[in-house]
Amino acid sequence: MKVYIATDHAGFAVKEFVKKLFLNRGYVVEDLGPKDDSRVDYPDFAQKVAKKVAQNPGSQGVLICGTGIGMSIAANKIKGIRAAEVYDYYTAKMARAHNDANILCFGERVVGRGEIESIVEAWCTTEFEGGRHANRVKKIMALEQSK
Ligand code: RB5
């Protein structure tokens, strides 16, 4: 499984930690920046990851900013993206099981490293349930056509 990751300056401090969690689970991780914690604008990095995920079916993304909110709002502007802001094991699990989320977003200022480990565990071990959720996700994606 390929995972693209990016942060802004507020999420940069945990990027290597999160990369390692995915690498330890056998994921191929591509870091799309930034290279240091200089101030940047999160939409620039959200779109880098979102476009890669949209162009590479089956891949996933991880976006980390201060709150996770800006990254998720920006990533969801890209067609084909279901970016979910999560806070803990349960929300990460549901994002995959019910929403078939393809980008994981969280805030470095919101969750500690222990919680990040739980989030990544839930994300990596949970499959989309399909069934009744498949039609709902289809309806979400159909909204991309609405004006
Ligand atoms: C940066 O200060 C902060 O606004 C950003 O990381 C993020 O939390 C935005 O949603």
Side-chain angles (χ1 to χ4, degrees):
M1 171 73 79
K2 178 85 182 240
V3 67
Y4 300 96
I5 187 168
T7 70
D8 69 353
H9 51 286
F12 184 79
V14 293
K15 187 163 64 167
E16 290 306 317
F17 175 70
V18 175
K19 280 165 66 176
K20 206 168 278 176
L21 294 176
F22 278 91
L23 287 168
N24 288 346
R25 290 182 174 275
Y27 283 66
V28 176
V29 179
E30 190 172 330
D31 186 339
L32 299 179
K35 291 198 185 327
D36 58 44
D37 66 356
S38 306
R39 199 162 290 277
V40 291
D41 296 330
Y42 58 82
D44 297 337
F45 290 89
Q47 71 154 311
K48 278 179 199 271
V49 166
K51 286 181 176 170
K52 282 284 191 185
V53 172
Q55 288 159 7
N56 295 280
S59 68
Q60 295 180 344
V62 179
L63 287 166
I64 311 160
C65 60
T67 59
I69 297 170
M71 284 294 200
S72 57
I73 292 173
N76 278 316
K77 298 289 180 193
I78 303 298
K79 236 180 181 171
I81 294 307
R82 291 177 300 283
E85 150 118 51
V86 310
Y87 305 94
D88 53 18
Y89 185 91
Y90 181 74
T91 52
K93 186 178 172 69
M94 288 302 113
R96 289 288 309 124
H98 286 190
N99 311 115
D100 198 16
N102 51 14
I103 297 186
L104 170 66
C105 302
F106 58 85
E108 191 270 346
R109 296 170 181 163
V110 180
V111 290
R113 290 188 181 222
E115 201 68 78
I116 292 174
E117 284 186 44
S118 299
I119 285 169
V120 172
E121 186 193 337
W123 180 268
C124 295
T125 58
T126 309
E127 293 291 327
F128 179 47
E129 281 178 18
R132 68 185 189 281
H133 303 294
N135 198 39
R136 293 166 184 166
V137 170
K138 218 166 131 191
K139 286 187 177 187
I140 293 174
M141 301 325 285
L143 292 173
E144 288 178 344
Q145 312 307 326
S146 71
K147 298 205 190 288

